[in-house]
Amino acid sequence: MEIKLFGADGCPVCRQLEQTVFDVLAEMGVAAAVNKVTDPEERLQYEVYRLPGLMIDGELKASGRVSARHELMNWVKERSAKS
């Protein structure tokens, strides 16, 4: 599973999303490649216009907000089942 976190350096909301993602992965015991994308041009290539953003296996799941833990858990379960 590949997770992309879109954010800006020094953004506290972006750091909150990152921490929540790592907490959920650890709690569920799921391995994933987590990549942070902070370059604005790269972010626009993925059509992420609001921060923070979250993409799982190429599918944009959220933009402009920190996803709730239960949402993240459901998305991770869904992707784990397909792998």
Side-chain angles (χ1 to χ4, degrees):
M1 177 181 317
E2 180 184 19
I3 298 175
K4 288 189 185 297
L5 300 172
F6 298 90
D9 291 329
C11 169
V13 177
C14 301
R15 283 195 307 267
Q16 181 183 359
L17 175 61
E18 179 181 5
Q19 186 62 53
T20 302
V21 166
F22 280 113
D23 289 348
V24 165
L25 291 172
E27 183 178 326
M28 296 178 71
V30 174
V34 180
N35 300 302
K36 294 189 327 185
V37 178
T38 57
D39 178 51
E41 289 184 28
E42 185 177 355
R43 190 177 70 222
L44 292 177
Q45 290 175 357
Y46 290 100
E47 298 181 5
V48 176
Y49 302 110
R50 297 185 320 155
L51 298 178
L54 173 73
M55 182 175 281
I56 299 177
D57 288 339
E59 183 179 342
L60 186 62
K61 294 294 190 177
S63 177
R65 66 183 178 89
V66 174
S67 305
R69 288 179 71 81
H70 72 274
E71 285 181 300
L72 287 167
M73 292 179 105
N74 286 337
W75 294 330
V76 169
K77 281 181 199 174
E78 176 186 290
R79 297 310 302 173
S80 293
K82 292 181 179 181
S83 297

